[in-house]
Amino acid sequence: MAGLLRPQQKEPMPEPPQGGVEDDMEEDMGEEADESNPAFVAAVEFVKAALYESGASDQVNEVVKKSQSPVDDLANMAYELTSIADEKTEGQVPDELLVLLASTVLAEVAEIAEASGVKLEPADVASALKMMILRFVGEQGYDTRELHAAMNQVSPDQINQLVAQDVPEEQEFV
Amino acid sequence: MSKVVKSVKRAFKKVVKGVKKVVKKISSSKIFKAIGIAAAVYFTGGAALGAIGGASAGGLSGAISGAAAGLGNAAAGISGAWTAITSGAGLGAAGGSLAGGLSGAMAAGSGAAGMSVGAALGAGYGGTAAGLAAPGGAMSAAPSVGIGAGASGTNTAAMSLTAPTTGGGAALGGATAPTALESAVKMVANKAPELLKEEAKTGILSSALKSPYTVPMAMQIGGQMLAARGQEKEEEQTREEYNRNIANAKYVSRY
């Protein structure tokens, strides 16, 4: 299945940066981490290995095929995978890359689900992302009710309509 | 999001700011496009959609801007909610801080009842959960094979507990903190002795009598015993009568 995280090699995992103090200093100096950040790369590699080398993709496949609520399952599986990857990199994935990491994992899990025959609308994937965001915010100790209510005002049709627009490939947005 | 994250609070402003990177990644993949747009909507109330529209060539701009404008109150609500959160106003409010992960999972409205608990109990989730926990161990060693057939909650739990001990994710610095899943499994495991004690307090007889199967079974056995006793008694009487008759026949009085 065409995945974003297709494993290509058996290279050793990149080491996450040691010591959070330097990271903080770097962030304080206004430098923004990008996708080449070692911890981010390590987290993505971890997810890649988990899905394709350790057989988690097969299990994702099995679960979504039997699932009564595949969207919930997708969200939960992607969230757990992201959490574990974050833990394995000792929380050193920069804050500004967390959403990208979670999105990447969700995209991968959703692609596996689609390859298993589960039909997913864009709104379903969006809903899974919404669940992940709310869970994250909740776990950080915030009251999610207001955010939840606001997010629920966006209808699935609106999401589908937005995605239906033709976005050029690999477009760079600033 | 994880134990690491729980102990080291994430800077929400930076997390939210990171949505820009997701939007940048929008590609021909329908799924990633959906995620990018959803991220733009759910994190910025559609503001990032304007950036998509503005940067794109041709008719996309108008279409996206129109759709984004259609978000109306939702956009304002989302922006307001995020402002409250990033400014710290939502912290600790009305149960928001209560029991972190569990409330978070519930708030997500997941019918699957939160991966960490539901999966550990094996409610149809088993295999995957084990598989997700397992790769940590398998990272530096051979890939784990056949983890989580997923049929039984008990088996899954055992796998989840044992998986991280193999390899320990050494290649990534050997994280030692257990996952939420492991914690849930341990919580269930810790509860087991208490449940056994409770069972011991009530006693075997009383707990047996509570069973819906025990009473009818006891009645049936009792009935059979009574019937057997009755039959025994009847046979005894018959035997006595027979002996009496024989005796009468043998010793007929001559007088």
Side-chain angles (χ1 to χ4, degrees), chain B residues 127-215:
Chain B
T128 302
L132 296 180
M139 286 293 285
S140 59
S144 54
V145 178
I147 290 171
S152 134
T154 313
N155 290 341
T156 305
M159 286 173 200
S160 299
L161 283 170
T162 54
T165 60
T166 59
L172 289 168
T176 50
T179 64
L181 182 65
E182 290 163 43
S183 305
V185 172
K186 280 177 186 166
M187 192 182 74
V188 173
N190 290 339
K191 277 274 177 194
E194 287 176 32
L195 293 172
L196 287 174
K197 275 182 200 165
E198 283 297 313
E199 191 62 27
K201 273 184 203 167
T202 53
I204 293 170
L205 185 61
S206 59
S207 56
L209 285 174
K210 285 176 191 166
S211 164
Y213 304 108
T214 311
V215 175

Side-chain angles (χ1 to χ4, degrees), chain A residues 4 10 13-16 18 24 27-28 32-35 42-43 45-47 49-51 53-56 59-63 66 69 72-74 76-104 106-108 110-111 114 119-123 125-127 129-148 150-155 158-159 161-174, chain B residues 1-6 8-12 14-35 37-39 41-43 49 51-53 55-57 60 63-64 67-68 70-71 73-74 77-78 80-82 84-85 88-97 100-105 107-116 124-125 127-128 130-133 135-139 143-144 146-149 164 168-175 177-181:
Chain A
L4 296 169
K10 294 270 183 182
M13 293 290 163
E15 288 284 334
Q18 297 300 314
D24 291 343
E27 285 165 6
D28 290 341
E32 211 173 79
D34 60 15
E35 291 171 56
E45 289 291 323
F46 170 81
V47 173
L51 284 172
E53 291 175 20
S54 301
Q59 291 153 6
V60 170
N61 187 357
E62 276 179 33
V63 168
K66 293 174 191 167
S69 52
D72 292 351
D73 291 345
L74 284 183
N76 284 323
M77 287 186 287
Y79 192 90
E80 291 296 319
L81 261 178
T82 309
S83 294
I84 294 167
D86 187 31
E87 273 182 30
K88 293 294 176 190
T89 51
E90 298 179 334
Q92 293 191 41
V93 175
D95 294 340
E96 60 267 35
L97 292 175
L98 265 189
V99 180
L100 183 58
L101 176 62
S103 301
T104 307
L106 176 61
E108 196 61 26
E111 289 212 14
E114 278 212 324
K119 186 157 169 45
L120 292 172
E121 291 292 325
V125 183
S127 178
L129 182 69
K130 182 173 74 177
M131 287 178 196
M132 291 173 75
I133 295 168
L134 288 168
R135 184 171 166 187
F136 174 64
V137 174
E139 285 188 3
Q140 293 288 302
Y142 290 91
D143 188 344
T144 59
R145 286 173 298 181
E146 190 186 342
L147 186 61
H148 197 172
M151 286 176 168
N152 281 346
Q153 286 180 37
V154 181
S155 74
Q158 281 175 307
I159 297 287
Q161 188 190 342
L162 283 168
V163 178
Q165 311 302 324
D166 186 22
V167 178
E169 288 185 20
E170 300 297 340
Q171 191 171 351
E172 286 286 321
F173 301 111
V174 182
Chain B
M1 187 165 277
S2 67
K3 291 208 161 38
V4 173
V5 180
K6 276 176 192 164
V8 181
K9 282 279 182 191
R10 293 291 193 179
F12 258 110
K14 285 185 179 171
V15 173
V16 175
K17 201 177 161 190
V19 74
K20 195 171 65 180
K21 296 181 187 302
V22 181
V23 176
K24 277 184 184 177
K25 283 276 286 181
I26 288 180
S27 66
S28 55
S29 158
K30 187 190 80 176
I31 287 174
F32 212 91
K33 198 195 295 182
I35 290 172
I37 287 174
V41 169
Y42 292 137
F43 277 103
L49 290 174
I52 295 173
S56 65
L60 177 65
I64 292 261
L71 293 173
N73 290 338
I78 289 169
W82 277 117
I85 287 170
L91 189 59
S97 61
L102 191 57
S103 66
S110 165
M115 183 88 167
S116 55
Y125 230 121
T128 302
L132 296 180
M139 286 293 285
S144 54
I147 290 171
L172 289 168
T179 64
L181 182 65

Side-chain angles (χ1 to χ4, degrees), chain B residues 75-87:
Chain B
I78 289 169
S79 299
W82 277 117
T83 305
I85 287 170
T86 52
S87 67

